[in-house]
Amino acid sequence: MTNLKTLAFFATPPHDCSYLPDREAVTMFVDPRADINKRLYSQLTALGFRRSGSHYYRPHCESCSACIPVRLNANLFRLDRGQRRVLSRNTDLDCELVPAGFFEEYYQLYELYIQQRHADGDMYPPSREQFTSFLVEGATDTHFLEMRKQGRLVGLAVVDALEDGLSAIYTVFDPSEERRSLGTFAILWQIEEVRRRGGSYLYLGYWIKACRKMNYKTRFKPIEALIEGHWQELEPT
C-alpha cells in the first residue's frame, strides 16, 4: 500500500510563476501512478500539498518561499461584521452538497466565471475538457456545493473531504451576483460544515502576501500558516 515513505515525487523544470510577475516557479508533484487514498491525501494536505484534478502538488522553488499554505481552525473561527453581512445577504440561497460530476449546468457557470473574471489567467479560454480534468477527475472524496436562488445555480464550490476536515478547492459564481460575495459565503458555509462533521480544519490552499487576489484569505481569523514545517497562527498584516 502506498504511504508517505514509499511515495515518489517529481519536480517540473522552471516555468513562469502564475502569481508573481518576472519570477520563475518550480512545482513538486506526487507520482501520478500512486494510489492516493483519503488518509494519504489528508497527510499530504497537512504537509502543504494541494489537489488539481488527479495531480497532487506543492511549490518547490529554490529561492522563493512566497507561497504559504494556510488553513482555518473551524472551532476557533469567529465571524467579523463583514462576514455576518455576507451571511445575511445570502439567507435566500438553498445550499446542498452533491457528489462531484460533470453537468452542463455546472460547466455553463464555470465558463461564464472564467470568461468574465479570469480572462487574463491560465484557465482562459475555458473548455469542458478543462473543467472535467481540473474539478472532476482524480477526486478521492469530493463534492460540489450548489448555491441556488429559486432553483437557479448562482454558485458552485468544489470541496474535498479529509480526515481532519475539508479542503476548499475552487469556487465559481455568476458575476452578476457579485454583491453577494459568494466566494466568502462558500468559505463560511464550509467552515460550518467542518463543525457539523466534527472536524477541525478548512484548508484554503496558498496565500501570497504580495498577491492582492489572495488578500481575502487573511480576513478569516485566526488563520494558520505552514511555515518551516510547522503550522502556526499567521500574524496580522
Side-chain angles (χ1 to χ4, degrees), residues 72 76-79 83 217-223 236-237:
L72 296 169
L76 297 180
F77 172 74
R78 296 294 181 268
L79 292 163
Q83 291 156 355
K217 296 183 181 183
T218 57
R219 297 180 191 137
F220 297 86
K221 295 182 173 59
I223 191 167
T237 56

Side-chain angles (χ1 to χ4, degrees), residues 23-68:
R23 294 201 194 184
E24 288 191 327
V26 175
T27 305
M28 177 189 292
F29 282 96
V30 173
D31 184 346
R33 299 166 296 181
D35 180 21
I36 309 296
N37 58 23
K38 186 175 180 178
R39 179 175 180 79
L40 184 53
Y41 179 24
S42 300
Q43 293 172 333
L44 287 167
T45 302
L47 292 172
F49 282 78
R50 292 287 285 171
R51 181 180 73 83
S52 176
S54 58
H55 299 291
Y56 299 82
Y57 70 95
R58 68 167 297 170
H60 191 63
C61 307
E62 182 176 350
S63 59
C64 179
S65 57
C67 295
I68 300 175

Side-chain angles (χ1 to χ4, degrees), residues 12-228:
T12 67
H15 52 87
D16 289 341
C17 179
S18 299
Y19 300 106
L20 299 176
D22 304 321
R23 294 201 194 184
E24 288 191 327
V26 175
T27 305
M28 177 189 292
F29 282 96
V30 173
D31 184 346
R33 299 166 296 181
D35 180 21
I36 309 296
N37 58 23
K38 186 175 180 178
R39 179 175 180 79
L40 184 53
Y41 179 24
S42 300
Q43 293 172 333
L44 287 167
T45 302
L47 292 172
F49 282 78
R50 292 287 285 171
R51 181 180 73 83
S52 176
S54 58
H55 299 291
Y56 299 82
Y57 70 95
R58 68 167 297 170
H60 191 63
C61 307
E62 182 176 350
S63 59
C64 179
S65 57
C67 295
I68 300 175
V70 290
R71 69 184 185 184
L72 296 169
N73 187 321
N75 300 304
L76 297 180
F77 172 74
R78 296 294 181 268
L79 292 163
D80 65 21
R81 184 178 302 175
Q83 291 156 355
R84 291 182 189 278
R85 286 197 294 266
V86 170
L87 289 179
S88 179
R89 285 198 295 269
N90 290 287
T91 54
D92 60 335
L93 296 185
D94 295 315
C95 298
E96 182 182 6
L97 275 182
V98 300
F102 179 89
F103 289 95
E104 184 64 20
E105 180 185 33
Y106 295 163
Y107 174 71
Q108 291 298 326
L109 182 64
Y110 173 83
E111 181 182 57
L112 180 67
Y113 177 79
I114 297 298
Q115 288 178 341
Q116 294 196 21
R117 299 285 300 222
H118 293 287
D120 59 344
D122 296 339
M123 292 182 291
Y124 184 86
S127 69
R128 290 169 178 79
E129 293 74 20
Q130 176 200 70
F131 175 91
T132 301
S133 63
F134 175 34
L135 300 178
V136 180
E137 291 180 354
T140 301
D141 189 354
T142 301
H143 288 75
F144 286 171
L145 169 62
E146 295 181 347
M147 293 166 269
R148 295 183 180 274
K149 177 185 178 183
Q150 298 178 342
R152 181 173 68 89
L153 186 70
V154 296
L156 188 73
V158 185
V159 186
D160 283 355
L162 305 172
E163 289 192 336
D164 60 349
L166 298 173
S167 179
I169 300 298
Y170 201 66
T171 300
V172 301
F173 56 85
D174 184 341
S176 70
E177 299 282 353
E178 184 173 9
R179 64 170 296 277
R180 290 180 175 273
S181 302
L182 288 173
T184 295
F185 175 74
I187 292 176
L188 296 174
W189 194 97
Q190 289 171 76
I191 291 171
E192 189 57 35
E193 180 65 13
V194 171
R195 292 170 175 167
R196 284 191 289 265
R197 292 170 176 243
S200 298
Y201 300 108
L202 177 63
Y203 290 86
L204 296 179
Y206 302 111
W207 171 72
I208 301 174
K209 184 176 182 180
C211 182
R212 293 182 60 188
K213 291 183 179 180
M214 295 189 178
N215 286 348
Y216 74 92
K217 296 183 181 183
T218 57
R219 297 180 191 137
F220 297 86
K221 295 182 173 59
I223 191 167
E224 297 180 2
L226 184 62
I227 300 174
E228 297 182 353

